[in-house]
Amino acid sequence: MTEDLIIRKSGRVGHISLNRPKVIHSLNLDMCLAMTDALLEWRDDDSVEAVMLDHSEGRGFCAGGDISMLRESGMTDGKQGREFFYHEYQLNHLLFEYPKPIVAFMDGITMGGGVGISQPAKYRVATEHTRFAMPETGIGLFPDVGGGWFLSRLEGRLGQFLALTGARLDGAECKEVGIATHYLPSEALEEAKQRIADKPDRIEGILGQLSAHVPEARITKNLDKIDKFFASDRFEDILAALEADDSDWAAKERDTLGTKSPQTCKVALRQLKEGATMESFADEMRNEYRIGYHVLMMHDFLEGVRALIVDKDNDPKWNPATPEQVSAEWIDNIFAPLPADEEWNPL
């Protein structure tokens, strides 16, 4: 067991609380393994009828994975980082296929790894504190933990927009576009958890009763623009469309994309295109593990984390430096299958 989690039974439900407030409840390997063990135990326990997933204290639900460890691993042999990806993706898949209802309370920053453990849940509760994003293009990684599946299934081109720009959605926006199933005021969460623990067969009704009026979702005003400018699966086409437009919105998004890793942007577009046609979540996770296996040791990820986390200069030097320099062959190599004994498999 790890101190970074609080795992207990509450009434008729299993309750997992992330407990690393100093790092916004980012996941490490021990947390992934402990969560997996608890879920496997509860899966076969008739006294556990549902699972609740939340965080202990602080402003974040889960801000992602342990990227400092991943960078250090990528600078050596990559073994530790790949082990983390392998087990994290097994956890994501276990949550996705879980036979009992899961309620994820996304009451705060929900990014990267936090997206991976909340989006498979049947019930996804946003609040006024929710900040949802997949910001991986800014660190040279890629929108993993099922991003290719979940983002590609949002309406229109919103998923591609979120994957490329790292844009943050608030709780109302998450509810509007289907990332969240319910919107509750944060002060109602404790009552919701207590009532669910007592009557897990009434989750839908409990969350419905406690739901709040949802504020206007700002993203709705931009969905038409997103569909228009982010229509292509070619990164160069998206940049050209934004550059050809003289609106402030297009200029702002073009400037944002200019700060992102061209390699990661091309990976994300292909990942979402392939993810939209995947027949199973396991197929998606196998594809993402191949990507992670390769990019973990590549320049852009090591440089992106250096700029954001290590030196904090926020001035990464991407290589390849331009979209045009990221060849199709370069991307093919990132998606290449692994030796049979190194491929990802579900539990």
Side-chain angles (χ1 to χ4, degrees):
M1 194 54 65
T2 172
E3 294 178 356
D4 297 333
L5 289 172
I6 301 169
I7 299 176
R8 68 252 190 226
K9 284 187 187 177
S10 301
R12 291 154 59 190
V13 306
H15 192 169
I16 298 175
S17 295
L18 309 180
N19 191 39
R20 292 183 79 202
K22 291 181 180 176
V23 289
I24 324 182
H25 306 289
S26 294
L27 299 173
N28 57 34
L29 178 59
D30 285 346
M31 293 166 73
C32 293
L33 293 174
M35 289 171 73
T36 297
D37 287 346
L39 289 164
L40 290 174
E41 183 180 326
W42 292 337
R43 187 174 65 181
D44 303 319
D45 184 343
D46 290 342
S47 70
V48 175
E49 297 174 39
V51 172
M52 294 191 296
L53 191 53
D54 63 11
H55 70 279
S56 58
E57 58 177 303
R59 62 195 177 90
F61 166 67
C62 175
D66 190 347
I67 60 171
S68 294
M69 175 279 291
L70 291 171
R71 179 177 189 268
E72 289 171 17
S73 175
M75 293 173 71
T76 54
D77 60 4
K79 186 176 179 182
Q80 188 180 5
R82 288 164 177 159
E83 181 185 19
F84 173 75
F85 282 145
Y86 198 94
H87 291 290
E88 183 186 22
Y89 296 178
Q90 285 189 326
L91 169 63
N92 299 146
H93 182 263
L94 176 62
L95 289 163
F96 188 92
E97 297 284 351
Y98 208 65
K100 300 177 181 183
I102 297 172
V103 190
F105 293 94
M106 307 187 298
D107 180 37
I109 295 168
T110 305
M111 297 184 184
V115 173
I117 59 174
S118 62
Q119 289 308 291
K122 181 175 183 179
Y123 303 102
R124 305 177 298 279
V125 180
T127 73
E128 73 276 13
H129 298 141
T130 301
R131 296 294 179 270
F132 175 101
M134 291 296 274
E136 289 79 8
T137 53
I139 57 167
L141 192 56
F142 70 107
D144 67 335
V145 294
W149 181 280
F150 299 115
L151 295 178
S152 68
R153 283 161 175 74
L154 297 175
E155 278 295 313
R157 298 294 288 183
L158 177 60
Q160 286 76 7
F161 171 77
L162 294 174
L164 292 176
T165 65
R168 298 184 181 193
L169 300 184
D170 63 24
E173 292 171 313
C174 287
K175 175 66 174 70
E176 175 67 29
V177 303
I179 288 168
T181 59
H182 294 81
Y183 183 91
L184 269 64
S186 56
E187 63 263 23
L189 294 185
E190 281 312 307
E191 181 182 352
K193 293 171 191 177
Q194 288 174 0
R195 289 172 62 179
I196 289 169
D198 291 337
K199 296 181 177 177
D201 53 329
R202 304 274 182 88
I203 295 173
E204 187 89 43
I206 292 166
L207 294 177
Q209 280 183 0
L210 295 174
S211 288
H213 168 72
V214 184
E216 182 182 1
R218 295 167 303 169
I219 192 72
T220 55
K221 297 176 182 175
N222 294 324
L223 291 175
D224 287 347
K225 287 183 281 222
I226 288 169
D227 287 351
K228 173 185 175 184
F229 291 108
F230 288 76
S232 178
D233 287 321
R234 277 190 83 243
F235 188 43
E236 292 89 339
D237 292 347
I238 293 171
L239 295 174
L242 291 168
E243 280 178 359
D245 191 81
D246 58 5
S247 69
D248 290 344
W249 186 89
K252 174 175 164 287
E253 299 306 333
R254 175 65 186 88
D255 288 347
T256 295
L257 292 179
T259 67
K260 308 300 184 183
S261 158
Q263 168 187 294
T264 306
C265 289
K266 288 200 171 187
V267 166
L269 285 170
R270 174 163 164 180
Q271 178 196 348
L272 266 63
K273 183 178 181 181
E274 293 184 357
T277 65
M278 290 290 176
E279 293 188 5
S280 75
F281 194 65
D283 289 340
E284 173 61 33
M285 298 318 296
R286 189 171 295 110
N287 198 37
E288 292 188 11
Y289 183 72
R290 292 170 179 173
I291 302 169
Y293 185 102
H294 293 117
V295 302
L296 177 68
M297 299 182 72
M298 295 178 73
H299 170 273
D300 273 17
F301 174 60
L302 303 179
E303 170 66 5
V305 180
R306 178 208 64 76
L308 184 76
I309 300 294
V310 181
D311 297 335
K312 295 183 169 60
D313 59 23
N314 291 315
D315 187 26
K317 301 290 188 281
W318 305 122
N319 185 20
T322 67
E324 292 75 20
Q325 291 171 319
V326 183
S327 67
E329 182 183 12
W330 185 279
I331 299 298
D332 285 343
N333 288 334
I334 291 174
F335 282 77
L338 305 175
D341 62 342
E342 294 191 54
E343 287 277 22
W344 180 88
N345 287 296
L347 289 163

